[in-house]
Structure formats: C-alpha cells, structure tokens
Amino acid sequence: MKSILITFDQAHNEQVVALLDRMNCRGFTRIEQVQGRGTRKGDPHYGSHAWPAMNAAIITIVDDEKVDSLLDALHRMDEHTDQLGLRAFVWNIERMI
C-alpha cells in the first residue's frame, strides 16, 4: 500500500475526485484551504488580497499497482493546466488499522 498526497489548485477539485472515482480509489481525506507556492512556475496560493487563490490537498491510500497509473493521470492533468499547479507525493504505508 502507498499513501499519495495530492496538492492542487481548488479549481482542480472536481477533476481530482472524479479521477479517484474512475480509478476505484474510494477512500481519501480532503483538506481545503491549503496555502503554498510552486517550485517552478505559477502564482502563490496564499488566500490573501495580493494572492487570493487557494490550494486543496487530498490524501489517499492505494494498492501498489494503482500508483503509476494514478500518477500518470495526475501528471497529464497538471500539464493541461500547468499554471494552476498540481503535485503528488508518494509514501510507503507500513501499517494500517
């Protein structure tokens, strides 16, 4: 099992959830109102007067065999609207209850 943290502009919310549904990744936790700034391009997302956009994040646990296809689909989504920003990070899950 792997944990995938997906951070994205709030405009991607419906697309990310729909992708998880299509890939049968049922369980996730969404965190709204996440602030951040990308490493390469795009505007900061601070929720301030100067930088009003905000990010969101989803944490999901998936089977190992789904990781690559999910990351590939997320990467295509990011390339399509690269100014909005979308990143995904993967960790091993040692134990779950």
Side-chain angles (χ1 to χ4, degrees):
M1 301 290 285
K2 304 286 187 196
S3 172
I4 302 177
L5 170 64
I6 308 164
T7 61
F8 52 91
D9 185 288
Q10 287 179 333
H12 280 307
N13 185 62
E14 289 180 18
Q15 293 171 308
V16 172
V17 172
L19 174 62
L20 293 172
D21 287 343
R22 281 194 309 275
M23 299 194 67
N24 200 27
C25 300
R26 180 167 163 71
F28 66 84
T29 299
R30 182 177 51 223
I31 305 164
E32 296 186 24
Q33 306 262 332
V34 176
Q35 298 180 12
R37 180 178 64 197
T39 55
R40 289 176 283 217
K41 52 185 164 177
D43 293 330
H45 291 72
Y46 296 152
S48 68
H49 179 70
W51 303 104
M54 286 295 289
N55 287 327
I58 286 181
I59 300 170
T60 186
I61 309 297
V62 301
D63 293 325
D64 290 0
E65 60 269 7
K66 292 184 181 182
V67 172
D68 289 338
S69 56
L70 179 55
L71 291 179
D72 290 343
L74 290 167
H75 183 66
R76 286 190 299 274
M77 188 183 302
D78 180 49
E79 286 181 326
H80 185 57
T81 54
D82 64 345
Q83 287 298 311
L84 290 180
L86 186 151
R87 294 290 178 265
F89 309 89
V90 180
W91 290 278
N92 287 322
I93 297 299
E94 300 296 326
R95 184 175 172 198
M96 283 184 11
I97 57 167

